[in-house]
Amino acid sequence: MRLPIQILAICGSTRQSSSNHHLIQAIRNLSAGRFAVTQLDSLTDIPHFNPDLDLTADSAPAAVQAFRAQLAAADAVLICTPEYAIGVPGTLKNAIDWTVSSMHFSGKPVALVTAGTSGHKAHQSLLGTLLIIESKIAPAAQLVVSSVKTKVNDQGVITDAATEMQVRKLVDALEAVVLGKEEELLPAPSLF
Ligand SMILES: Cc1cc2nc3c(=O)[nH]c(=O)nc-3n(C[C@H](O)[C@H](O)[C@H](O)COP(=O)(O)O)c2cc1C
């Protein structure tokens, strides 16, 4: 395994001043030296999922092929997303739908952070999706950050001590999964 661990970060929000984007920045800073975090440019470049455009190898739209290539090159994926109308943002679910048949999440270590006003419903829903497409998600690599706007600032600094500790544990858990050391993880506290 080449180090640092190569992480593809996906922000479920397309908003310019997204708290989830700020959380990705915070995780990049907290994991420096251990993770090299590359953020996916934009979910909005990925067209609406249509299986008819994906019938043969290499027939998928260019943006989809680029997304899949970034997933394939990454050792692990970090998803930070808000909840919209008690669900997963459509742009994020759309991108993931393109990977169901291509299996790009199969066996891929994933850390899932859902951050918003609340976030629990979207978290449950997205967790179900990621598990059915065979992502490897340790319980300690899952986190819901409610009231996120009071916990991370626009400089990518986590301003809430408890949240910072939870994020550090999430980084440890994702690293352990990538390095095949999951058995060393302590059980995670219940999210719900
Ligand atoms: C259309 C819309 C629907 C939302 N629905 C929910 C919701 O169901 N649950 C929730 O916790 N937050 C909800 N929110 C609040 C977002 O979670 C919050 O604005 C969050 O900060 C957005 O993430 P971002 O800062 O990364 O863009 C909603 C926001 C918008 C714009």
Side-chain angles (χ1 to χ4, degrees), residues 122-144:
H123 193 88
Q124 278 289 58
S125 174
L126 190 50
L127 187 58
T129 298
L130 291 167
L131 290 174
I132 204 71
I133 59 175
E134 301 179 348
S135 300
K136 287 174 74 176
I137 313 185
Q142 306 165 24
L143 183 60
V144 175

Side-chain angles (χ1 to χ4, degrees), residues 136-191:
K136 287 174 74 176
I137 313 185
Q142 306 165 24
L143 183 60
V144 175
V145 181
S146 300
S147 306
V148 65
K149 288 177 181 168
T150 66
K151 294 175 179 168
V152 61
N153 69 22
D154 60 9
Q155 305 300 305
V157 175
I158 297 172
T159 53
D160 175 68
T163 302
E164 183 184 330
M165 190 183 67
Q166 290 169 325
V167 166
R168 286 187 184 279
K169 286 184 177 167
L170 176 125
V171 167
D172 291 346
L174 184 59
E175 181 181 50
V177 173
V178 173
L179 298 178
K181 297 178 176 172
E182 297 103 301
E183 70 284 353
E184 294 175 17
L185 293 171
L186 296 172
S190 173
L191 286 173

Side-chain angles (χ1 to χ4, degrees), residues 28-167:
R28 178 185 282 119
N29 294 339
L30 290 177
S31 65
R34 296 158 75 192
F35 291 173
V37 178
T38 303
Q39 187 168 337
L40 186 75
D41 284 341
S42 177
L43 286 175
T44 53
D45 293 340
I46 297 175
H48 292 153
F49 176 57
N50 181 350
D52 288 345
L53 303 178
D54 199 22
L55 294 176
T56 59
D58 302 332
S59 69
V64 173
Q65 293 192 42
F67 175 49
R68 289 173 175 170
Q70 283 190 281
L71 285 169
D75 298 316
V77 176
L78 166 68
I79 297 175
C80 290
T81 183
E83 174 174 282
Y84 287 159
I86 64 167
V88 179
T91 45
L92 175 59
K93 181 63 166 57
N94 178 62
I96 292 173
D97 285 346
W98 281 106
T99 71
V100 175
S101 59
S102 72
M103 311 268 295
H104 276 82
F105 274 94
S106 184
K108 188 72 72 180
V110 173
L112 175 59
V113 181
T114 311
T117 308
S118 165
H120 289 87
K121 299 277 188 196
H123 193 88
Q124 278 289 58
S125 174
L126 190 50
L127 187 58
T129 298
L130 291 167
L131 290 174
I132 204 71
I133 59 175
E134 301 179 348
S135 300
K136 287 174 74 176
I137 313 185
Q142 306 165 24
L143 183 60
V144 175
V145 181
S146 300
S147 306
V148 65
K149 288 177 181 168
T150 66
K151 294 175 179 168
V152 61
N153 69 22
D154 60 9
Q155 305 300 305
V157 175
I158 297 172
T159 53
D160 175 68
T163 302
E164 183 184 330
M165 190 183 67
Q166 290 169 325
V167 166

